[in-house]
Amino acid sequence: MAGDLILLSPLDGWSAPLSEVPDPVFAEAMLGEGVAIDPTGSTLHAPCDGMIVSVHASKHAVSMRAAGGVEILIHIGLDTVAMKGEGFEVHVADGQAVKAGDPLISFDLDLLARHAKSLMTPIVITGAGGRVIAAQLTGRIVRVGEPLITLSCAGKIDVETSDFGPEITRPVVIPLLHGLHARPAARLADMAKGFQAEMSVLALNRRANAKSPVGLMSLGLRHGDAATLVASGPDAAAALEAVALLLEGGMGEGARVAIQPVPEAPVAQPATRPSTGVLRGVMASPGLAVGKAVRLFRDEIIVPEFGQSVAHEQASLSGALEMVRAHIAQEAEASGSQARKAILGAHAAFLEDPELSDQAQRLIEEGKSAGYAWRAAIGAYVEALRGLGDRRIAERVDDLLDLERRVLLVVSGEVDRGLDLPPATILLADELLPSQLMGLDPNRLAGICTGGGGPTSHVAILAASMGVPAVVAAGPGVADIKEGTSLILDADAGLLRIAPDAKALETAQTALAARTERRVAAQASAREDCRMADGTRIKVFANLGSQADAQAAANAGAEGCGLLRTEFLFLERESAPTEDEQTDKYAAIARDLGGKPLIIRLLDVGGDKTAPYLPIAAEENPALGLRGVRVLLRRPHVLRAQLRAILRGAPHAKIMVPMVSGVAELRAVRLVLDEARRELGRVGRTDLGVMIETPAAAMIADLLAAEADFLSIGTNDLTQYTLAMDRGNPDLAGDIDALHPGVLRLIAQTTAGAAKHALWTGVCGGLAGDLTATPILLGLGVSELSMPSAAIPEAKAMIRTLSPEACRVLAAKALTEPTAEAVRALSNTFLTGGA
C-alpha cells in the first residue's frame, strides 16, 4: 500500500513474537509493539532509511528515527548492558544518516551466548508516528533484508500532514534528589495530561509515555541522569516548556510540607538471627513496643483467566476503578495527615495511568477477564520496577500491589474487612500495603515488623507519621512466629525479640513505662518557662513548617518559634506565592503562637530542597551550589516580596538569613530589608540574624555578630559541611553525628564570637532536640534551643535539673574527646549521675 513503511530484518535468525521475549518490559509491550529475532548472524543492520538517534554507551542497543517520525529501538540480547561494551563494535554515530542494510553494530555471538540472559533481540516500535503494524513476519527463519514489519497509516491519518506534526525535543537533567519516583512521576504525568500534545520521555534507549506515571517510573531515572523530552501536536511547545519547568524546578523533592521523611537507613540486608529468639531488620520508625503477635499474611485473590463478553469485562473493570477512585478520594479528604494525602494522591495518579488501562483493555479484548487483565497489567510493571536495581523505586512496588488488590477485591465482589486488633498488637507481615496500614486502629497498634519492605517505603513513612515503632526487612523468620506470641520490638536497634523470658519482658515493660511516665510528667509542666537549676533562663522554642505545626507547638509548651521554615509553607505550589498570600500565612502563624517570639527564616531552597516556582538548573554538587541566601540575592524580587510580607504579617518577628558564608551577604539582605521598611513607613529596627550553617560562618562569627542581631546554629548542614559527609548518603548515615568534636568546636567558636558583641546564640538544627547533647550545648554558651514540638516537654524537664557550672565542665571535657561516640558516652554518664 502506498505510504506504508516496511522495516527489513536487521539480523539473520529466527523471528518470534515479542511476547516470547523472557523480559516483561518487552514481552508486555511496555516500550511498544514489535518482533524479536534469535540471531544466527553477528552484524546488526539498519532496517530502513533513517537517522541514528542514539547508540547506548554499552553499545548493546541503538535507537533510530525513520521517515514520518517512526522511532525504532533494537536491543541486542537481554541484560547485555552488564557486558559494558565488551564484544560489541559500533559502526555508526549519533545523528548519522543511514540507509537500509547499512551495518550498525557487530557483536561476538559466542561471547554473548556465554554472558547474556538471552540472545533474543527485540525490534520495538517506540514511536509509531500515527502508523499501526499491519503485518509482521514471525515463526520462521529470516535473512537480513527480508521484509519483517509493515507499518501502515492509521485510518485516514497522513503521517506527513498529521495534526501532531513533527516532534520537538528538549534535553533535561534529572534534578530530583531521589530520582523519578512515584510522587514526582505522578505530578509530571498530571501536567502532561493537561495538553493535547503527545509527550514522551526518552532515556537510556527507552521511551515512556509522559502521561503514564508508571511508565515514567519504569525508566529508572536517578539524580543527575540525562533525558530528552519529546512532544508533538498543536500545543507541543507549550507542553514541552511546562513539563520541563516542572521537572527542572525539582517539585519540592527532598522536603515536603508536614511529611517527616524516614531517615535514610542503610540498604536492607538479609535478616540475620544474632541469637535464638531474635530477628534483626532495619528501623523504619523509631521506638520501643511490647505486645502480642498478630499475623497479617495476605491470601491470594483468585481471578479467572477468561472472561464473559468483552463488554461485560470492560464494564466490570471500569466500575471497579471508579469505586476505588472514589474510596481513595474519600480517604484523602478525611485524612488530617499530609503523609497520607501525598501517598493517596500518588495512588490516584496510578489509577489514571493510560498505559495500565490500555494494557488491561488489550487483554480484555483478547478474551481475558477484568481481574486477570488488571493483575497482568500491574504485574508487568512490578517486574520492570523490581528489575531496575533502584531501591527507592523498587520499594514503590507495594503501591502498585496495593492498587492491584483494591481493584481485584471490587471486581471479585470480596470485602477487605481489615483486622480487628486487640490492644498492644505487634503486627507481623511479609509485606504490608499502605491501604492496609491506613485502615488499622493506631490506638491498638503497638508496633510493626515485616519480613520484607524497605526503610523509605510509603509504609515506613506512614508508620513514622503515626508514631508507631516499625522494623522492616527482618526476613522470612517473621512468617514462622505464631499468633499471640509475646514480642519485644526495639525499633531503634532494629530488633524483634521473640517469646522473651519473664525478666526480659519485665525490663522492657519497665523501660516503656518509664518513657511514658517521663513524657506525662514533662507534659504537665511543659507550659512553664524553662530555667536551669540556678534560675538561668533558657528559651525552648519549636521549629515550624506549617500553621498546623504552630498549633501543635503551642499545645506542647513551646515558648515561641526559633525557626519557621518558610519554604515548607509553599513548597507544593507550581507558582510563586504572592506578597499578600505570604502576608496572610505569616499573620496566621503569629496569631496561633499567641504573640510569642517568632523567628522567620527567609526562603531556603536549593540543594535537597527545591520549589517548582524557583527552578534551579541541575548542579553537579547541589549542596555546594545555589542555596539559601545565594538564591535570594540572585532573585531580588523574591527577597523583597518576602521581607515586605513578613513586615506586614508578623511585624514583631525576627528574620533569619540562611546559608550565610560572609558578611557581604548579611549586608546585602539588610539593605533590602531597610528599603522595605521605608516603603511601608516602619520606624525602629527589625532584628536580622544569621543562621550558622557553614564552617566559614562559624569561624567568622565575631565579624557576623558585629552586624547581626542574633546567631542561630543549624547543626544539620553545619555537620555535613564540617565532616564532608552528604547527609542524604545512606552509606554515611551512621557516621554523621553532630556531637563530633569538630562540630562542637565550631559551635564553641560561634558562641564566643557572639558573646564579644553581647549577642545570644541559639541552636535550631537537629542537635537541639537531642537530649544527650543538651547539657553540652548549654555548657558551650547556647541560651536558646529550637526543636520539634514533641521533644519540648522532656527537654524542658531535663534542663530544669541542670547546673550551669556542671554543664560548662562537661562541655570543656567534650571538646577534648576524640570521637562523637566518646562525646555521647561522656554525656550519658553525666546524665545518669556518673559524673
Side-chain angles (χ1 to χ4, degrees):
M1 181 184 296
D4 285 355
L5 175 65
I6 297 177
L7 303 184
L8 307 178
S9 177
L11 288 165
D12 292 336
W14 179 267
S15 177
L18 206 58
S19 59
E20 293 183 10
V21 177
D23 185 322
V25 172
F26 296 109
E28 300 292 344
M30 291 185 196
L31 302 180
E33 301 291 343
V35 301
I37 295 177
D38 192 353
T40 56
S42 59
T43 300
L44 178 73
H45 299 263
C48 60
D49 296 350
M51 182 190 75
I52 301 300
V53 175
S54 63
V55 178
H56 195 281
S58 294
K59 306 178 183 179
H60 68 291
V62 60
S63 293
M64 63 177 293
R65 184 178 296 122
V70 174
E71 293 200 356
I72 306 147
L73 166 67
I74 308 177
H75 192 288
I76 303 172
L78 301 181
D79 289 354
T80 42
V81 64
M83 296 177 67
K84 300 179 180 179
E86 184 181 1
F88 294 92
E89 182 182 358
V90 176
H91 305 296
V92 290
D94 293 359
Q96 179 178 330
V98 295
K99 293 288 186 180
D102 285 352
L104 304 180
I105 301 174
S106 299
F107 50 92
D108 185 331
L109 192 60
D110 291 337
L111 186 66
L112 262 65
R114 292 196 300 271
H115 295 285
K117 174 182 176 181
S118 168
L119 291 174
M120 289 288 276
T121 296
I123 297 99
V124 181
I125 313 303
T126 56
R131 299 174 185 265
V132 295
I133 296 179
Q136 55 188 29
L137 192 63
T138 59
R140 52 158 285 184
I141 293 174
V142 292
R143 300 294 181 190
V144 170
E146 278 192 73
L148 184 68
I149 299 173
T150 301
L151 291 164
S152 297
C153 295
K156 296 181 180 180
I157 294 177
D158 182 345
V159 174
E160 299 301 327
T161 60
S162 167
D163 288 341
F164 283 96
E167 290 185 334
I168 58 175
T169 63
R170 176 167 172 169
V172 292
V173 175
I174 305 302
L176 308 170
L177 183 65
H178 302 307
L180 195 55
H181 60 90
R183 287 187 292 273
R187 292 185 63 189
L188 279 180
D190 186 60
M191 174 67 77
K193 289 173 186 175
F195 296 89
Q196 297 179 46
E198 289 187 350
M199 287 199 70
S200 301
V201 178
L202 183 65
L204 308 175
N205 282 308
R206 299 175 68 179
R207 187 174 182 133
N209 184 345
K211 299 179 181 182
S212 165
V214 181
L216 291 173
M217 285 173 60
S218 71
L219 290 174
L221 290 172
R222 304 185 183 187
H223 175 75
D225 282 349
T228 300
L229 303 181
V230 182
S232 62
D235 54 0
L240 206 64
E241 180 71 10
V243 171
L245 286 176
L246 177 60
L247 177 61
E248 291 170 347
M251 295 178 279
E253 172 74 14
R256 306 179 65 85
V257 177
I259 297 178
Q260 301 301 321
V262 177
E264 188 73 65
V267 176
Q269 300 296 328
T272 59
R273 292 177 178 266
S275 61
T276 303
V278 178
L279 291 178
R280 183 183 297 279
V282 176
M283 182 193 78
S285 177
L288 176 69
V290 179
K292 299 284 189 179
V294 173
R295 293 164 49 87
L296 177 61
F297 291 90
R298 303 191 297 269
D299 294 327
E300 183 78 7
I301 299 173
I302 305 300
V303 295
E305 179 176 354
F306 299 102
Q308 300 180 28
S309 67
V310 170
H312 174 84
E313 299 303 325
Q314 287 177 333
S316 177
L317 180 59
S318 177
L321 292 173
E322 186 58 39
M323 184 174 294
V324 173
R325 190 179 292 117
H327 287 165
I328 288 175
Q330 292 169 3
E331 291 167 13
E333 184 177 355
S335 175
S337 164
Q338 290 295 326
R340 290 191 181 205
K341 287 181 178 179
I343 292 167
L344 289 167
H347 285 198
F350 287 155
L351 281 179
E352 306 296 335
D353 192 303
E355 298 292 330
L356 281 177
S357 58
D358 288 353
Q359 176 68 0
Q361 290 296 339
R362 281 196 295 270
L363 290 170
I364 287 175
E365 290 168 3
E366 293 173 7
K368 306 299 184 184
S369 72
Y372 183 93
W374 181 248
R375 172 171 282 165
I378 290 281
Y381 276 109
V382 164
E383 291 304 314
L385 295 181
R386 281 176 171 162
L388 289 175
D390 186 309
R391 177 167 55 93
R392 284 181 176 272
I393 294 292
E395 285 174 0
R396 299 302 178 254
V397 162
D398 282 351
D399 297 312
L400 289 174
L401 293 176
D402 201 345
L403 283 179
E404 176 195 307
R405 182 175 179 82
R406 294 186 73 157
V407 172
L408 291 185
L409 283 169
V410 177
V411 168
S412 63
E414 297 183 31
V415 178
D416 190 359
R417 304 185 186 279
L419 282 177
D420 184 14
L421 300 179
T425 287
I426 294 182
L427 190 66
L428 305 179
D430 178 30
E431 300 277 359
L432 188 61
L433 300 178
S435 65
Q436 291 176 313
L437 179 53
M438 286 187 273
L440 298 176
D441 183 354
N443 295 318
R444 291 174 171 260
L445 185 60
I448 299 167
C449 183
T450 63
T456 59
S457 66
H458 279 159
V459 165
I461 293 172
L462 285 170
S465 72
M466 296 165 65
V468 176
V471 170
V472 296
V478 172
D480 299 333
I481 301 172
K482 295 181 179 179
E483 187 90 7
T485 301
S486 294
L487 301 171
I488 298 173
L489 183 72
D490 185 352
D492 297 329
L495 296 177
L496 178 69
R497 303 187 184 279
I498 305 164
D501 59 27
K503 184 176 180 180
L505 276 173
E506 182 181 356
T507 300
Q509 291 282 14
T510 300
L512 194 57
R515 287 189 185 191
T516 304
E517 185 178 342
R518 283 197 303 271
R519 283 196 297 269
V520 172
Q523 188 65 52
S525 59
R527 294 178 181 272
E528 300 173 11
D529 285 348
C530 184
R531 298 182 183 277
M532 298 183 73
D534 71 337
T536 299
R537 183 77 168 91
I538 301 295
K539 297 175 182 177
V540 180
F541 290 171
N543 294 338
L544 308 180
S546 68
Q547 190 174 350
D549 287 350
Q551 297 160 354
N555 294 333
E559 299 169 17
C561 168
L563 171 63
L564 173 59
R565 300 180 173 102
T566 56
E567 65 277 2
F568 280 22
L569 301 175
F570 307 105
L571 207 58
E572 297 295 333
R573 294 175 56 110
E574 305 300 332
S575 59
T578 65
E579 182 181 316
D580 287 343
E581 287 175 320
Q582 293 186 69
T583 299
D584 293 343
K585 187 68 73 173
Y586 303 144
I589 290 174
R591 183 174 59 249
D592 287 341
L593 287 174
K596 292 177 180 177
L598 171 60
I599 298 176
I600 299 179
R601 182 177 70 187
L602 295 176
L603 194 67
D604 183 17
V605 298
D608 63 350
K609 290 179 289 187
T610 52
Y613 56 85
L614 278 179
I616 298 173
E619 300 171 293
E620 186 173 345
N621 193 337
L624 300 180
L626 287 179
R627 284 201 58 187
V629 70
R630 300 169 190 169
V631 175
L632 295 173
L633 293 179
R634 284 164 173 78
R635 291 173 171 82
H637 63 286
V638 175
L639 173 60
R640 180 175 173 275
Q642 185 173 28
L643 290 171
R644 284 175 55 88
I646 294 171
L647 293 172
R648 291 171 56 199
H652 72 289
K654 295 177 171 61
I655 299 172
M656 183 160 61
V657 187
M659 289 302 297
V660 169
S661 58
V663 175
E665 292 163 328
L666 176 62
R667 289 174 179 170
V669 175
R670 175 77 75 182
L671 285 174
V672 182
L673 174 60
D674 289 345
E675 181 183 350
R677 289 184 58 81
R678 286 193 297 272
E679 291 172 351
L680 295 171
R682 301 298 164 82
V683 296
R685 180 182 176 89
T686 296
D687 283 354
L688 184 67
V690 172
M691 191 165 181
I692 305 295
E693 300 172 272
T694 66
M699 289 187 282
I700 60 167
D702 57 332
L703 302 180
L704 292 168
E707 303 191 28
D709 296 301
F710 64 92
L711 304 181
S712 186
I713 302 169
T715 53
N716 298 352
D717 275 319
L718 182 61
T719 301
Q720 81 160 343
Y721 290 133
T722 302
L723 303 183
M725 291 184 181
D726 181 359
R727 56 192 171 115
N729 187 325
D731 292 332
L732 300 176
D735 299 323
I736 299 176
D737 192 332
L739 282 181
H740 188 287
V743 179
L744 295 181
R745 291 188 181 205
L746 288 176
I747 294 174
Q749 196 165 347
T750 300
T751 58
K756 287 183 181 179
H757 300 277
L759 293 193
W760 59 268
T761 301
V763 172
C764 58
L767 200 62
D770 185 340
L771 296 185
T772 303
T774 300
I776 297 175
L777 293 176
L778 301 184
L780 291 174
V782 171
S783 59
E784 182 247 46
L785 298 170
S786 190
M787 61 191 69
S789 296
I792 288 173
E794 289 188 71
K796 279 188 167 185
M798 189 183 74
I799 290 169
R800 295 185 181 111
T801 69
L802 300 176
S803 156
E805 180 58 30
C807 289
R808 283 191 287 270
V809 172
L810 173 66
K813 290 181 179 177
L815 295 177
T816 66
E817 293 293 340
T819 64
E821 292 82 0
V823 173
R824 287 195 175 276
L826 177 71
S827 185
N828 286 330
T829 300
F830 171 85
L831 290 172
T832 55

